[in-house]
Amino acid sequence: ERQNRQNIEDSIDRHFQDTMRGGHNKNNPELVKKLVEEAPTTMHWLEGKGLGFWPKVRVIVGGLYPRGHSAEGGGYGYVKVLEKFIKAYPDKVKVFTDTQAVKLIKNEAGKVIGVVGKQDGKTVNFMASKGVIIATGGFGSNVEMRQARNTGVWKEVTLDKNIPCTNNFKASQGDGLKLAEQVGANLINLDDIQLHPGGTPKTGIMSFWPSGRNRIFLTPQGDRFVNEDAARDTLCKAIFKEGGNYWIVSNHVKYPTLDYLSKNLTIGEMINLGQAFSGNTIEELAQKTGMDPKKLRASIDTYNDVVTGKIKEDNLGFKKFTQDDKPMTEGPFYATPMVPAVHHTMGGIQINSAAQVLDKNGQVIPGLFAAGEVTGGVHGSNRVGGNGIADAMVFGRVSGQSALK
Ligand SMILES: Cc1cc2nc3c(=O)[nH]c(=O)nc-3n(C[C@H](O)[C@H](O)[C@H](O)COP(=O)(O)OP(=O)(O)OC[C@H]3O[C@@H](n4cnc5c(N)ncnc54)[C@H](O)[C@@H]3O)c2cc1C
């Protein structure tokens, strides 16, 4: 309904096609079908729980289409709303924080019936009457694991500790994969690792917003080098070709004031931390960043020619995507140094469309379900931007429904 209001044509089928194309058709179509069919209903379900979504959809970096529905409060918005919901049922739902799942418990018939947890050095056993759902995320921060598995799209790049990760260090160690493997689950496509172009150098933190519009990607010298609307693997490969780091350049259209929030820091805070530079003119920005002023001006001019309709498309294939694409004509101009960072691990536990975990013979492991980044097959070899949360929410819900059957 939001897309209709913005005159953006979309359909379940188009979302399916984009997800398959983005994943280089390595996705499991059965899982993709479930994802795209359930994404709108799951969003409505979340709205019913009190989660607000912004009225305008946006093109998420690597999202390939204006389809990104952003929740109010970002990631925490989801947690806050779902936490409030489960708190209404204290006799039914108990939450144990800082408790690490370390082993799954199987009975003699081969059914998964519980989880062994560790809390403050003590063992806590959780017995399940209906089923166990693994939803422990990916292994992006586990340097050893990602190096051992890096035989896919990034095999030419050493994914060692010099390549940062956008994710929470402790939460993305791949624990769930180890738990599942111990009970015979089939792990698939672990070499499909996604890098995101929006990492802060050294830390990988996504404090700057490479998504949205009105920004261009430039080489350290100030040349445009890639269509910013390309898929994430294409973007990161182009960045590595240019030496591994690049600038995102924008102006006051994107950041109207210094206290404008750019993801989790304001643009003013970013400047104070040395994570962004500003210049009232193109020449001043070039001087502060070491870019060649002529190249920087030429790059901004080409972008402006496309968004003002002077040319239909530039030589990189960049086109005006939405009415929100505006020219950058006046300062202040901003530049942020960025690097590719490990962001998502597309491979994982093999599931069917009911989120049941499969073993190496394709048989269901009774009592065991999995959802979200810990699973494999939904995203193929490249996750389309915006499909990460959709995946976690859709299959999170599906796994709960399946376990209750
Ligand atoms: C900075 C950033 C921005 C993003 N922006 C977007 C976006 O705009 N749109 C989008 O669609 N996607 C986005 N994503 C991707 C999206 O957040 C992930 O795809 C999604 O969070 C995966 O959900 P999940 O529940 O499977 O795993 P997670 O969100 O990683 O949650 C896994 C949880 O399991 C816990 N855990 C791990 N191991 C254990 C264990 N042994 N015992 C107990 N608990 C354990 C972790 O602590 C964590 O809380 C973004 C990701 C990052 C890092």
Side-chain angles (χ1 to χ4, degrees):
E1 50 272 32
R2 287 169 183 78
Q3 288 171 305
N4 282 343
R5 284 198 292 272
Q6 284 171 255
N7 294 320
I8 300 162
E9 266 183 51
D10 205 2
S11 65
I12 303 276
D13 185 53
R14 191 166 186 164
H15 190 189
F16 178 89
Q17 300 300 342
D18 285 349
T19 303
M20 294 297 295
R21 176 170 61 95
H24 303 291
N25 290 306
K26 208 175 160 188
N27 332 45
N28 175 344
E30 186 204 336
L31 298 180
V32 178
K33 192 165 172 283
K34 191 78 178 170
L35 172 80
V36 298
E37 282 176 357
E38 296 285 330
T41 40
T42 304
M43 195 181 144
H44 288 144
W45 177 81
L46 286 161
E47 285 178 308
K49 299 272 166 284
L51 184 62
F53 285 88
W54 296 111
K56 267 192 165 186
V57 300
R58 63 189 176 102
V59 193
I60 292 181
V61 76
L64 309 179
Y65 201 64
R67 187 181 286 125
H69 291 69
S70 307
E72 286 171 16
Y76 182 55
Y78 290 86
V79 177
K80 206 163 69 174
V81 162
L82 294 174
E83 189 179 36
K84 190 172 163 214
F85 175 60
I86 57 176
K87 275 194 173 155
Y89 301 94
D91 53 329
K92 291 206 166 85
V93 187
K94 292 198 167 38
V95 177
F96 289 73
T97 55
D98 288 316
T99 308
Q100 186 183 13
V102 292
K103 202 176 161 214
L104 298 178
I105 307 167
K106 239 181 170 183
N107 68 11
E108 279 173 7
K111 184 177 177 185
V112 176
I113 52 161
V115 185
V116 180
K118 280 262 181 251
Q119 191 184 42
D120 288 338
K122 289 192 208 103
T123 299
V124 208
N125 283 355
F126 298 86
M127 302 315 290
S129 57
K130 305 272 188 196
V132 171
I133 300 169
I134 306 182
T136 48
F139 61 93
S141 297
N142 189 327
V143 172
E144 202 180 302
M145 216 166 148
R146 72 192 196 196
Q147 276 194 276
R149 304 291 186 172
N150 190 26
T151 51
V153 65
W154 297 111
K155 60 179 182 288
E156 279 99 37
V157 179
T158 311
L159 294 183
D160 60 12
K161 62 178 175 21
N162 294 317
I163 305 285
C165 180
T166 61
N167 304 17
N168 176 305
F169 180 77
K170 252 174 103 176
S172 52
Q173 293 293 329
D175 280 12
L177 300 173
K178 295 172 208 157
L179 300 179
E181 204 169 24
Q182 281 162 7
V183 295
N186 195 28
L187 305 185
I188 56 169
N189 306 338
L190 293 179
D191 56 346
D192 288 326
I193 296 171
Q194 176 165 86
L195 272 69
H196 190 295
T200 299
K202 293 200 174 77
T203 64
I205 293 172
M206 282 169 68
S207 46
F208 188 73
W209 205 342
S211 281
R213 313 305 297 165
N214 306 315
R215 46 82 178 108
I216 49 176
F217 292 7
L218 301 182
T219 63
Q221 298 75 35
D223 289 313
R224 295 195 65 237
F225 64 100
V226 69
N227 174 2
E228 292 82 354
D229 291 324
R232 290 175 181 175
D233 51 358
T234 306
L235 293 171
C236 292
K237 279 191 174 176
I239 297 163
F240 282 121
K241 215 171 142 203
E242 296 297 333
N245 55 321
Y246 75 111
W247 294 104
I248 293 184
V249 169
S250 55
N251 78 338
H252 68 92
V253 172
K254 191 162 176 66
Y255 302 108
T257 57
L258 281 178
D259 57 6
Y260 190 89
L261 196 62
S262 163
K263 213 150 179 91
N264 45 21
L265 290 175
T266 67
I267 186 72
E269 285 167 335
M270 299 266 302
I271 293 167
N272 291 339
L273 286 168
Q275 289 181 19
F277 299 88
S278 75
N280 286 325
T281 60
I282 289 175
E283 287 66 30
E284 189 187 343
L285 189 72
Q287 189 260 323
K288 283 189 182 168
T289 56
M291 282 186 259
D292 177 328
K294 286 201 188 81
K295 289 182 172 180
L296 178 57
R297 184 169 285 283
S299 296
I300 293 176
D301 285 349
T302 311
Y303 164 83
N304 288 344
D305 286 349
V306 175
V307 297
T308 55
K310 206 165 158 190
I311 54 173
K312 201 161 176 276
E313 186 177 330
D314 69 5
N315 60 2
L316 297 165
F318 175 73
K319 292 185 200 143
K320 184 171 176 144
F321 216 156
T322 75
Q323 290 313 312
D324 292 336
D325 290 346
K326 301 274 186 316
M328 287 182 219
T329 46
E330 288 151 17
F333 295 91
Y334 300 107
T336 312
M338 293 265 123
V339 295
V342 174
H343 183 61
H344 197 95
T345 46
M346 278 82 60
I349 304 170
Q350 189 177 14
I351 55 165
N352 61 20
S353 61
Q356 292 171 296
V357 172
L358 305 180
D359 68 14
K360 293 188 170 53
N361 300 314
Q363 299 300 310
V364 166
I365 300 180
L368 190 60
F369 304 84
E373 194 176 339
V374 76
T375 68
V378 177
H379 306 290
S381 55
N382 171 68
R383 176 167 75 69
V384 168
N387 272 349
I389 294 175
D391 173 24
M393 294 294 147
V394 165
F395 285 98
R397 194 160 165 248
V398 166
S399 61
Q401 289 164 339
S402 296
L404 282 177
K405 278 188 187 149

